[in-house]
Amino acid sequence: MIALFLLADVPQDTLRPGDIVKVEVAGTAGFSETGAVDDSGFLYLRLIGKLRAGGLSLSEFKDTLRSHLLPYYKDPLILLSIENLTPPQVLVTGRVNSPGYIQFRKGMTLSDAVQAAGGPSSDARLSGVVIKTRRDGKWESKRADLAAILSGKTEDVPVYPGQVIVVPKAFRLCTMENFNFVMSIANTGMMILALYLLFTK
């Protein structure tokens, strides 16, 4: 569904990578062009070139457009048509009960996102949750202590569309997995020792 917005003082969500934006300048000498916000947060228009769009509100993007269009139009009347092929999402992966994409909503926090993914699994290490954000084509990571957040010791962390949340696995020394790993190393060592003794006789 395409929603048509006249960029007045109407509060809107921020633009994000993947948004398809139709830019129009009303009037007989106006123009109309459609582009997609790329992974780096830029929107390319033939008349203007690359413009930063990701992370900007529609009102902020309107101001950016206006400043670039003033050399071509006097007091341009700007309209945007935004067609989102998918709703804004956050990817929650790792040690959660239902890993995958969850729908973003305004004001969402880290604890909200993890809960929407089924909550942490029993082997999750909540003190080392990683939040990844893509900026200028590169992923930036920061850590958050979800255990401290859930216990009320620290404030919750806001999350944004396009981010990836990774809940790591807790390290436990006495597990069957670790026991099997140690036993495989021991067996390999015994085989090497037996071969050594066999060939040194």
Side-chain angles (χ1 to χ4, degrees):
M1 179 179 180
I2 297 178
L4 180 67
F5 299 100
L6 173 62
L7 289 182
D9 294 325
V10 181
Q12 300 293 341
D13 292 333
T14 57
L15 293 168
R16 65 192 190 282
D19 279 344
I20 297 176
V21 183
K22 184 177 181 181
V23 179
E24 296 179 278
V25 176
T28 56
F31 85 101
S32 175
E33 189 174 343
T34 301
V37 182
D38 64 21
D39 289 341
S40 298
F42 286 93
L43 176 69
Y44 178 81
L45 299 171
R46 289 190 300 272
L47 181 64
I48 302 170
K50 288 177 66 174
L51 293 176
R52 166 68 70 179
L56 298 181
S57 68
L58 289 180
S59 179
E60 291 169 333
F61 189 53
K62 169 193 173 182
D63 293 337
T64 300
L65 283 171
R66 180 178 296 278
S67 64
H68 285 80
L69 288 170
L70 283 176
Y72 307 97
Y73 300 95
K74 182 180 179 181
D75 193 23
L77 177 59
I78 304 170
L79 303 116
L80 297 184
S81 298
I82 302 177
E83 182 180 6
N84 291 327
L85 300 180
T86 59
Q89 294 178 322
V90 174
L91 176 59
V92 184
T93 186
R95 299 298 172 165
V96 291
N97 292 311
S98 301
Y101 285 96
I102 60 169
Q103 186 166 341
F104 173 82
R105 67 176 187 275
K106 277 188 176 180
M108 178 174 278
T109 62
L110 176 60
S111 62
D112 294 334
V114 172
Q115 189 60 39
S121 58
S122 58
D123 59 350
R125 180 163 62 90
L126 299 183
S127 61
V129 175
V130 178
I131 303 174
K132 297 184 176 183
T133 306
R134 191 173 179 87
R135 290 192 178 94
D136 298 326
K138 297 180 180 179
W139 286 100
E140 298 178 0
S141 299
K142 69 175 182 179
R143 293 187 179 274
D145 190 342
L146 183 56
I149 291 171
L150 294 176
S151 63
K153 295 180 180 179
T154 187
E155 292 186 2
D156 214 339
V157 179
V159 297
Y160 302 98
Q163 287 185 320
V164 177
I165 297 169
V166 182
V167 181
K169 181 180 179 180
F171 176 77
R172 293 187 176 93
L173 184 62
C174 298
T175 63
M176 184 58 67
E177 182 180 352
N178 290 341
F179 175 77
N180 290 336
F181 177 69
V182 171
M183 289 302 296
S184 67
I185 292 177
N187 288 335
T188 302
M190 292 296 292
M191 290 178 60
I192 293 173
L193 178 61
L195 289 172
Y196 173 78
L197 294 175
L198 178 64
F199 288 107
T200 54
K201 286 184 177 180

